[in-house]
Amino acid sequence: MASPEGKQVRKRKTTDVDEDSLVIRAFREFQVQLDKRHDKYERLVKLSRDVTIESKRTIFMLHRVTGNEDSESLLSQTLEKLNNIKLIKMMKISEELEGEDPYQFLRAYSPGLQEFIEAVTFYHYLHSGSLVSLQQIQDNLTFAPPDPAAAQVADPLTAPNVRREVTVRVHVPPLEYMLGVADLTGELMRLTINSVGAGDLQLPFKVCAFMRRIHDAFLSYGNVSRELNRKMSTLRQSLHKVENACYTIQVRGSEIPKHLIADVLSGTSECSSRFQDEACDV
Amino acid sequence: MTQDATSQIFSSFQDYINEEQEIREDIRSQVKDIEQTAREIQTLLQSVHQQDGIKGIPTLCEKARERFERVREQFSNLSKKVPQDQYYRFHDHWRFVSQRLTGLSAYIVYLEKEALISREDSAAMLGVKMQRGEGFHIDLDDYLMGLLQLASELSRLAVNSVTAGDYGRPVRIARFVGELDSGFRLLNLKNDSLRKRFDALKYDLKKSEEVVYDLTIRGLVPQEQKSTHKPSE
């Protein structure tokens, strides 16, 4: 196992490593295995980071959908973006994970996966007003082996690795899915405030009902994981803001012009969060 | 319709959590059994350090090996509780005990043959597979952790064998720990628990080298040890 770099060879000679010893030979093997695993982990972290960035951008785009005249075409644009993430990055992740225990590398790709779930669920909420299921997401992240005939004509950017002959998938653990859903509520809260600004006074009530359902379900789960508990408290704050928004619209909606409600709303939500902070300190 | 679908999503997650809790409960009780056996083996091997323990090494190893029969049985029970391809989902539960048992198996093999246990033998002693692809196995990190525990145990043995009047053993131990150290130096460790534990290896090495020094300056090292200790090649 001689290294091609002269520097390393020289260094090895000065430290008296006996290459013939059984111990050293065993450790040479471990070195190869460890390096292989660490490299894979690093590659997954990189891919996950790319997925996170792209998903965040998609979410920003989705926020522009409300109140936009051309919302249909914006929605289809974001869908395309999501598909691109899936076909380029997620496909690579799934290929890295082929034949591995997905839980071994979960920590490497979990942030990206959660952000992706957040973007997908957000898209589906805007598109159809419903929550996309874990099964749907999992199906979406399962890649069948490419048809060799089709692969040759396909766009090189989206063309999958031709050598692959088995179905691969990015395994989505249910907990990761739920954490993504918890993140979704933050976006829904932002959506509410934006929509009031855009003059839509119906949406906040719809979103509020939807968020309550999520909140209630999460309450019943109890102590599942520390991460979920942390997200739960954020969820509660978001829900609080949305409920306050609905309240303000209900009470004052008929009194003041629409464009002023948004100002009033941002005022109340700030007040309420300040109030909450103080309450927490005590 | 969508209401139902949403409720379905949340209730199926509830089922998932319940199921997971059950699996964890099963694993935990199984691991507790293994820990009990591991403690017994550890206690048994402690008598090596006693005054005349060194003479009884072969019988001690024999006895310890017998106990490993139970370990194999318990590990096979545990492996049945862990769903396929989800080893790393629950790994934390048995990580500690499998590290300790690898350490103990390595200790027994060292006492018998004064050689490093291979990963294969270690897995065989615990009754598990060596590679992930073959089923329930011992993680490479855990095996290496076990070897580091062995080094600590050996540096203690070096001291105690001098007390018991065996002056040849410390020299061989120092050589072995030194070899382990250079082996670990070959690995590119990440900044994790294994790396932290490896950082302690140098103290074990230092301790066993000090013992050899003490023996050497007093001329207590037996003749045949001196000749083999020299780097022959």
Side-chain angles (χ1 to χ4, degrees):
Chain A
M1 199 162 289
S3 160
E5 291 146 66
K7 219 191 224 167
Q8 253 187 316
V9 172
R10 218 180 305 131
K11 206 168 148 200
R12 209 171 280 160
K13 270 179 189 160
T14 52
T15 58
D16 54 339
V17 173
D18 179 8
E19 289 292 341
D20 292 331
S21 127
L22 283 173
V23 177
I24 298 300
R25 247 186 273 167
F27 272 88
R28 281 267 176 238
E29 224 167 276
F30 302 151
Q31 178 192 40
V32 173
Q33 286 173 33
L34 275 180
D35 284 350
K36 208 172 129 203
R37 202 184 64 208
H38 290 163
D39 287 348
K40 191 184 272 286
Y41 193 90
E42 277 325 304
R43 285 196 302 273
L44 280 168
V45 168
K46 264 188 206 159
L47 284 168
S48 158
R49 208 147 40 203
D50 290 348
V51 171
T52 309
I53 295 169
E54 292 290 318
S55 302
K56 279 213 161 89
R57 284 189 189 145
T58 316
I59 291 169
F60 273 117
M61 246 172 109
L62 285 167
H63 273 300
R64 272 176 257 151
V65 169
T66 44
N68 200 309
E69 329 247 288
D70 208 9
S71 61
E72 276 308 310
S73 83
L74 251 179
L75 262 183
S76 60
Q77 267 178 49
T78 50
L79 181 63
E80 200 179 315
K81 227 171 142 102
L82 283 174
N83 268 331
N84 268 338
I85 301 175
K86 189 187 92 181
L87 281 175
I88 298 170
K89 301 295 176 196
M90 284 302 193
M91 172 91 87
K92 275 195 195 137
I93 293 183
S94 71
E95 279 166 357
E96 289 285 355
L97 291 177
E98 189 200 327
E100 302 282 353
D101 181 339
Y103 287 96
Q104 187 178 11
F105 297 98
L106 183 59
R107 241 179 310 168
Y109 71 90
S110 149
L113 183 61
Q114 282 180 31
E115 204 68 30
F116 182 72
I117 292 171
E118 182 182 344
V120 171
T121 47
F122 193 34
Y123 167 81
H124 275 271
Y125 182 75
L126 288 175
H127 183 68
S128 60
S130 62
L131 187 62
V132 61
S133 73
L134 169 64
Q135 192 55 51
Q136 277 168 284
I137 290 183
Q138 182 64 78
D139 289 347
N140 210 6
L141 291 178
T142 304
F143 306 98
D147 181 7
Q152 277 166 3
V153 273
D155 177 11
L157 251 184
T158 54
N161 192 346
V162 190
R163 275 173 301 174
R164 187 162 55 80
E165 273 165 3
V166 286
T167 301
V168 292
R169 62 188 198 139
V170 179
H171 178 73
V172 187
L175 183 61
E176 294 296 309
Y177 166 76
M178 277 301 160
L179 291 170
V181 171
D183 288 336
L184 166 72
T185 56
E187 300 308 324
L188 291 177
M189 183 271 290
R190 245 188 267 171
L191 173 74
T192 317
I193 307 297
N194 286 343
S195 71
V196 178
D200 186 346
L201 296 188
Q202 298 303 308
L203 192 71
F205 293 97
K206 253 171 50 191
V207 173
C208 189
F210 186 64
M211 277 176 72
R212 268 191 205 128
R213 287 179 65 90
I214 298 179
H215 177 257
D216 295 351
F218 273 54
L219 264 187
S220 69
Y221 293 150
N223 229 345
V224 181
S225 81
R226 202 181 308 146
E227 221 178 332
L228 199 66
N229 286 349
R230 220 177 35 233
K231 295 209 166 169
M232 184 68 198
S233 65
T234 325
L235 199 167
R236 205 173 294 125
Q237 275 174 13
S238 301
L239 180 63
H240 202 82
K241 281 181 195 167
V242 172
E243 282 178 341
N244 263 330
C246 289
Y247 165 82
T248 313
I249 296 168
Q250 190 69 36
V251 178
R252 318 209 7 212
S254 52
E255 293 168 13
I256 45 174
K258 277 179 187 166
H259 64 275
L260 284 181
I261 294 186
D263 292 340
V264 176
L265 266 187
S266 50
T268 50
S269 60
E270 255 171 46
C271 266
S272 68
S273 65
R274 207 180 303 140
F275 174 70
Q276 269 193 334
D277 286 346
E278 278 168 19
C280 289
D281 286 340
V282 176
Chain B
M1 185 62 206
T2 55
Q3 292 271 315
D4 282 355
T6 314
S7 311
Q8 174 66 36
I9 290 169
F10 289 127
S11 67
S12 70
F13 185 62
Q14 183 71 60
D15 295 343
Y16 169 80
I17 300 172
N18 295 344
E19 191 199 351
E20 172 169 294
Q21 240 136 27
E22 235 164 81
I23 299 177
R24 278 190 200 281
E25 210 58 54
D26 277 356
I27 290 176
R28 227 171 271 146
S29 75
Q30 206 56 53
V31 167
K32 219 179 265 170
D33 288 351
I34 304 181
E35 274 167 354
Q36 180 60 36
T37 319
R39 263 197 303 275
E40 283 167 23
I41 298 175
Q42 203 179 14
T43 322
L44 187 69
L45 286 173
Q46 283 307 304
S47 32
V48 176
H49 295 293
Q50 266 147 26
Q51 274 295 320
D52 48 359
I54 288 176
K55 290 180 207 101
I57 281 179
T59 43
L60 263 179
C61 289
E62 195 76 26
K63 271 193 206 160
R65 270 188 184 274
E66 275 166 31
R67 300 272 173 112
F68 263 94
E69 188 66 46
R70 276 260 292 293
V71 172
R72 280 190 284 277
E73 205 176 290
Q74 285 164 333
F75 261 110
S76 109
N77 287 339
L78 174 64
S79 68
K80 280 177 207 140
K81 308 274 188 221
V82 182
Q84 177 142 37
D85 263 344
Q86 300 196 0
Y87 180 91
Y88 286 98
R89 183 171 157 202
F90 303 106
H91 185 196
D92 284 335
H93 290 290
W94 60 79
R95 166 174 275 157
F96 187 72
V97 72
S98 58
Q99 283 169 3
R100 171 169 293 180
L101 281 168
T102 348
L104 289 172
S105 67
Y107 192 35
I108 293 174
V109 167
Y110 181 82
L111 289 175
E112 287 170 348
K113 297 192 277 194
E114 307 216 339
L116 178 70
I117 192 171
S118 71
R119 215 179 145 202
E120 207 174 349
D121 290 346
S122 177
M125 262 180 97
L126 270 59
V128 297
K129 302 285 189 293
M130 192 174 89
Q131 297 294 344
R132 195 193 75 80
E134 299 160 359
F136 194 94
H137 65 293
I138 291 296
D139 191 53
L140 177 58
D141 283 18
D142 291 346
Y143 166 76
L144 293 173
M145 239 2 176
L147 297 189
L148 289 169
Q149 289 178 10
L150 168 70
S152 304
E153 200 58 31
L154 287 182
S155 75
R156 189 175 156 220
L157 181 64
V159 174
N160 289 333
S161 50
V162 171
T163 320
D166 183 348
Y167 298 147
R169 189 175 287 270
V171 181
R172 299 195 299 273
I173 288 179
R175 192 164 54 229
F176 181 76
V177 176
E179 231 175 341
L180 264 186
D181 183 66
S182 37
F184 271 98
R185 271 171 205 287
L186 293 177
L187 307 179
N188 306 308
L189 297 175
K190 290 223 284 192
N191 211 357
D192 57 6
S193 56
L194 187 61
R195 163 74 184 277
K196 236 184 242 161
R197 187 63 185 75
F198 162 65
D199 286 342
L201 179 61
K202 57 174 177 279
Y203 301 112
D204 297 330
L205 181 60
K206 189 169 165 236
K207 184 74 220 168
S208 24
E209 279 172 350
E210 271 169 8
V211 173
V212 173
Y213 168 78
D214 282 340
L215 293 175
T216 312
I217 56 165
R218 289 172 180 83
L220 291 172
V221 177
Q223 206 53 47
E224 87 264 30
Q225 296 295 329
K226 264 187 208 157
S227 55
T228 49
H229 187 51
K230 270 183 206 155
S232 46
E233 286 112 70

